């Protein structure tokens, strides 16, 4: 359908039909069992008509069910408008991939694109049309449980990942390629900056910081073509995002040129009342529609009050019409008017979902996401060594992570299962080992196994419920019982490798005695296979942290691109009156960009062809990277820039490029790069991007801490 036809369709709709088009309801409302929907219906004060005409749904899936719902819906819809099926497919549909924070650790954009493509394929054959992903909120506080959904603390890296996710989900031709789904970037904006890492808490930052650090990720997703934007639960400069006209009309629509659909987060329109900037739901509806929120998810402020607001002249009907048009446009972009069932296909569903091919991809992606944090000549393990695999996470299948709606733990491969496929020389316990309160029998058994083995893999971590939405923690160390276990095991055997499953950077005090630490995150369905292959050296670790691990939770937030301050710590850490703590350094335990490999990479000869660049003349440079080891590996060469004098204070370094380089044993490569003026721009006090003449440092190396340095200058004509 073209735009004129869609506009004609809007013109044929009654006011009630238009208002209903803005309502999104969850699966229960579409159940074919009457008893399942009556409760939710009366809770929300909805009648059958509202449900039959609600424009979109959330959380329905399965080809058979999707086809049934669509068929029933269209039979009842006077104008034959199809409904639209959305859900959270965040790191996989049924084949579960590592959590996004782990994907961020891959520093490999093809990983994100591939995982999104496979997720879309599985979701689309199950009848879904839209995924509420990617979540690109910049995160600096690991106490916040939702850091697991983000790719980390850096806006440059997040932006690159955001674009890759969108490309993978949407492909190039949504209207005809039914193996893809539309992407919804979230949560606009700055949800990741919740004070104290407490979920749903206030966000407070300057417009300049918002623009410089927080908005680029969303913008990158939009530039890559994301079809929808979801609002966030927080306030932006005191106004709830979901009713924030400046944020959605001025910035998102006018400045970023976004003409797709804006959807509220779950219940967020009604929550404007609790925020206290309107007195009632009617006020919330007014604010949200004026801000340009098209779809209200799971509350009914629009359904109840929009018509009234229009009749009273408080809201122009044109605002409703434009929202409806955008929703119909999205349905049209997905090809739903011609093909209301779109990709839903029971036969393909059986064929594709959790196929061997998808499992294999999940394994490879997990392997690229597992970060080797420490290794004192203990890894990789040898098949000739007797290895005890003990601890609460040894045999667990709780490795999928919080956004694995359709994933089944029973289909996940545990570490022990993965290890058994690799080595016959492993011993494991029979007792169930609890994460928090292990029985004495389980502890005794684990210690006996540890003593009997050459090496110990001590599998620790968080359970799925401990990260994700509404899962903030003030203490981000491992549970006490696990820390006790580390001590007891070390007393039996010093050859200990700790593996970790978790959804956030942890405060790792208490496991320092281990000779190796392997951060496996929540690695998804094939997590145990990938982790075992990393441990035994079948995969060489290549991942790098995309979010810093603090030395202690008291430093949080600790992130690499901090400001220098007027009393920099580096100037003299022993001096009292510098910006510091009395009891801990300012540094992360494992900084952004950090990760080890079984190869040994050395950096030398960082050079620039010139020392001065202009707006028209880029600077070319290079660095030599050599694999000194006998093992082939992949190195991520990271390029940072420090702007020594800015109009406003500049971070001590900012990531501006990275290059993944595969190097055979003993091989060496000159990695070339180019610096252009756009890389030196930042948001000035006029809220616009520009650069300044002056001196800069170029820093290149394997992580944000261990860097070679040269200086150069930018000379601008104006
Ligand atoms: C979350 C969103 C999610 C939505 C729908 C909300 O609680 O904040 O990220 O997309 O629920 O499930």
């Amino acid at each position: 359908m073209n735009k004129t036809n869609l506009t004609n369709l809007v013109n044929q709709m009654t006011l009630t039909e238009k208002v209903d088009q803005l309502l999104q309801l969850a699966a229960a409302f579409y159940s074919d069992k009457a008893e399942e929907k009556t409760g939710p219906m009366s809770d929300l004060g909805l009648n059958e008509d509202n449900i039959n005409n609600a424009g979109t749904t959330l959380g329905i899936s399965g080809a058979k069910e999707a086809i049934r719902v669509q068929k029933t819906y269209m039979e009842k819809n006077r104008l034959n408008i199809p409904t639209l099926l959305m859900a959270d497919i965040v790191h996989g549909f049924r084949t579960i991939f590592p959590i996004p924070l782990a994907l961020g650790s891959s520093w490999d954009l093809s990983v994100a694109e591939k995982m999104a493509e496979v997720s879309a394929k599985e979701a689309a054959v199950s009848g879904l049309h839209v995924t509420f992903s990617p979540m690109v909120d910049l995160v600096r506080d690991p106490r916040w449980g939702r850091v697991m959904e983000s790719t980390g603390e850096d806006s440059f890296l997040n932006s690159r990942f955001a674009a890759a996710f969108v490309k993978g989900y949407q492909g190039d031709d949504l209207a005809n390629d039914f193996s893809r789904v539309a992407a919804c970037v979230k949560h606009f904006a700055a949800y990741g900056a919740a004070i104290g890492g407490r979920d749903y808490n206030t966000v407070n930052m300057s417009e300049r910081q918002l623009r410089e650090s927080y908005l680029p990720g969303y913008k990158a997703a939009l530039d890559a073509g994301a079809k929808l934007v979801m609002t966030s639960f927080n306030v932006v400069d005191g106004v709830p995002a979901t009713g924030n006209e400046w944020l959605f009309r001025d910035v998102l629509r006018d400045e970023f040129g976004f003409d797709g659909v804006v959807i509220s987060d779950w219940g967020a329109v009604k929550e404007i009342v609790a925020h206290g900037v309107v007195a009632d739901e009617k006020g919330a509806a007014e604010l949200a529609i004026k801000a340009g929120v098209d779809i209200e998810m799971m509350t009914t402020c629009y359904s109840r009050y929009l018509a009234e607001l229009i009749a009273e002249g408080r809201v122009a009907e044109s605002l409703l019409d434009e929202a409806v048009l955008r929703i119909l446009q999205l349905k049209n972009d997905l090809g739903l008017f011609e093909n209301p069932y779109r990709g839903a296909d029971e036969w393909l569903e059986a064929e594709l979902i959790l196929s061997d091919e998808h499992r294999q991809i999940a394994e490879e992606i997990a392997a690229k996401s597992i970060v080797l944090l420490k290794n004192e000549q203990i890894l990789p393990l040898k098949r000739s060594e007797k290895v005890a695999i003990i601890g609460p996470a040894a045999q667990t299948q709780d490795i999928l992570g919080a956004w694995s709606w359709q994933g089944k733990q029973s289909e996940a491969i545990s570490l022990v299962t993965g290890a058994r496929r690799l080595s016959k020389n492993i011993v494991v316990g029979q007792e169930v080992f609890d994460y928090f309160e292990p029985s004495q029998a389980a502890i005794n058994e684990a210690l006996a196994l540890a003593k009997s083995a050459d090496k110990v893999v001590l599998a620790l971590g968080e359970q799925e419920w401990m990260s994700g939405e509404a899962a903030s923690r003030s203490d981000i160390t491992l549970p006490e019982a696990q820390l006790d276990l580390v001590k007891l095991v070390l007393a039996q055997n010093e050859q200990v490798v700790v593996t970790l499953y978790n959804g956030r950077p942890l405060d790792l005090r208490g496991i320092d005695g281990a000779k190796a630490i392997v951060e496996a995150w929540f690695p998804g369905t094939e997590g145990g296979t990938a982790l075992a292959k990393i441990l035994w050296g079948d995969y060489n670790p290549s991942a790098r942290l995309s979010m810093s691990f603090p030395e202690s939770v008291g430093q949080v937030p600790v992130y690499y691109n901090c400001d220098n301050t007027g009393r920099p710590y580096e100037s003299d850490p022993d001096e009292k009156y510098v910006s510091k703590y009395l009891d801990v350094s300012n540094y992360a335990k494992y900084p952004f960009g950090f990760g080890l490999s079984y190869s040994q990479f050395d950096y030398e000869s960082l050079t620039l062809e010139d020392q001065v660049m202009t707006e028209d003349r880029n600077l070319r440079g290079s660095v030599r990277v050599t694999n000194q080891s006998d093992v082939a590996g992949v190195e991520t060469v990271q390029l940072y820039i420090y702007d020594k004098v800015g109009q406003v204070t500049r971070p001590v370094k900012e990531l501006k490029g990275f290059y993944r380089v595969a190097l055979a044993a003993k091989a060496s490569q000159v990695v070339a790069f180019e610096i252009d003026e756009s890389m030196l721009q930042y948001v000035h006090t006029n809220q616009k991007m520009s650069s300044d003449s002056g001196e800069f440092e170029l820093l290149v190396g394997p992580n944000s801490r261990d860097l070679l340095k040269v200086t150069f200058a930018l000379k601008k004509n104006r």
Side-chain angles (χ1 to χ4, degrees), residues 97-103 105 362-363 365-373 393 396 398-401 413 415 457-462 498-504 506 508 517-532 534-535 543 545 549:
F97 296 91
I99 56 172
L101 192 59
L103 299 172
S105 307
E363 175 193 319
I365 289 180
K368 286 181 168 185
S369 308
I370 294 173
V371 191
L372 179 61
L373 293 177
T396 187
D398 179 358
I399 60 173
L400 300 183
I413 306 299
L415 171 57
V457 172
L458 181 50
L460 306 176
E462 293 182 318
V498 166
T499 64
L500 295 166
Y501 290 133
N502 47 279
R504 54 159 58 80
L506 294 170
L508 291 177
I517 302 174
V518 184
E519 176 52 75
W521 307 108
F522 284 111
T525 310
E526 286 293 334
T529 319
L531 178 55
I534 290 267
L535 293 175
L545 297 178
F549 274 50

Side-chain angles (χ1 to χ4, degrees), residues 24 58 87-88 90 132-133 135 146 149 186-187 191 200 230-231 233 264-266 297 403 469:
Q24 174 160 109
L58 136 91
D88 294 274
V90 177
F132 297 133
S133 176
M135 183 278 216
R146 300 197 79 166
E149 291 176 58
K186 67 190 188 186
H187 308 82
Y191 182 31
Y200 317 124
M230 187 184 290
T231 71
F233 289 126
S264 82
D265 201 347
W266 182 294
M297 187 197 292
W403 274 123
E469 185 173 351

Side-chain angles (χ1 to χ4, degrees), residues 10 74 91:
V10 177
M74 291 193 65
H91 51 108

